[in-house]
Amino acid sequence: MSNNQNTMNDDDIRLLFETVKIARAAKASGNHPFGALLADKDGNILIKQGNEAFTQGHLCAHAETLLLFKAVKEYSPEFLSTCSLYSSVEPCVMCTGALYWSQVGRLVYGLSEQDLLSLTGNHSENPTFSLSSREVLLHGQKTITVIGPTTDTQLIEAIVQDHKGFWK
C-alpha cells in the first residue's frame, strides 16, 4: 500500500537537489544519470548512490537498488522504517520492489517515470515501465509514504538537463 502525499518540504527539495549531484557524478563516470540517497528522519544523509550500470557491467545496477542493498546490511528494519529514500527520478518496478523489501518507510522522488519515458523514448538501455511506484506499492501489505513528483521548476529543469541528449 502506498500513502499518497504530494507535499514536499524544504528538506525534501534540498535532498532531491543532492540526488541531482549524485546523478551528475554517475553520468560523468560513464553511467546513466540517476542518483539516490537515504536520509534519516532528521534529514541527515546516510548513504549516497549513483547508477553503476556500466561500472558494474549490467543494467540491474540502478542507484536505488544498489543503495537499498547497502542499507539493509548496515541498518535494522526498525530504523529503516523511519528513513526516506530520495531519488532523482521515480524508481522503476525493480527498485520499488527493493524499497518495499528493505523496510524503508518513505519515498521522495523528483521526476516521474512517465516524464522519464518522454526523455528516453524506447532506448534499449532504459525500457521504462508504464507503471508508477505508487501502483506497485498499492499491491503490497504495508504502507509506504510516496511523495512526488516535484513541482519545483528549478529541480525539474536540473533533472531534465541531465537526461537531454543522453538517450540518443
Side-chain angles (χ1 to χ4, degrees):
M1 302 162 99
S2 72
N3 176 4
N4 291 332
Q5 178 184 354
N6 279 317
T7 306
M8 288 190 191
N9 60 41
D10 290 342
D11 260 357
D12 292 334
I13 298 296
R14 175 184 63 83
L15 291 166
L16 283 172
F17 270 110
E18 286 297 317
T19 68
V20 172
K21 292 177 187 175
I22 298 164
R24 288 189 176 151
K27 183 178 176 181
S29 67
N31 291 291
H32 297 147
F34 298 102
L37 65 82
L38 182 71
D40 68 15
K41 64 182 168 107
D42 297 320
N44 299 306
I45 298 171
L46 305 173
I47 303 172
K48 295 180 181 184
Q49 181 66 55
N51 178 282
E52 292 186 5
F54 294 106
T55 305
Q56 291 201 16
H58 61 85
L59 294 177
C60 292
H62 291 194
E64 301 90 345
T65 294
L66 294 174
L67 181 147
L68 292 164
F69 285 173
K70 290 176 183 177
V72 297
K73 288 179 181 177
E74 191 164 334
Y75 301 106
S76 72
E78 296 78 23
F79 178 74
L80 288 173
S81 71
T82 68
C83 293
S84 298
L85 172 67
Y86 288 85
S87 182
S88 57
V89 176
E90 182 177 13
C92 71
V93 173
M94 176 183 71
C95 294
T96 301
L99 169 69
Y100 180 84
W101 289 107
S102 73
Q103 309 300 321
V104 171
R106 186 169 177 260
L107 166 64
V108 183
Y109 65 87
L111 198 66
S112 74
E113 181 85 346
Q114 197 61 42
D115 287 337
L116 176 65
L117 178 59
S118 70
L119 297 169
T120 64
N122 65 349
H123 197 284
S124 63
E125 292 174 12
N126 195 47
T128 304
F129 280 87
S130 291
L131 188 60
S132 73
S133 57
R134 279 185 178 85
E135 182 67 23
V136 172
L137 293 169
L138 280 174
H139 297 280
Q141 296 180 30
K142 56 187 164 190
T143 300
I144 297 173
T145 300
V146 179
I147 302 174
T150 186
T151 57
D152 184 285
T153 55
Q154 286 182 309
L155 181 56
I156 293 168
E157 288 174 21
I159 296 167
V160 167
Q161 188 62 38
D162 287 334
H163 291 273
K164 277 189 176 175
F166 183 85
W167 305 98
K168 296 177 188 173

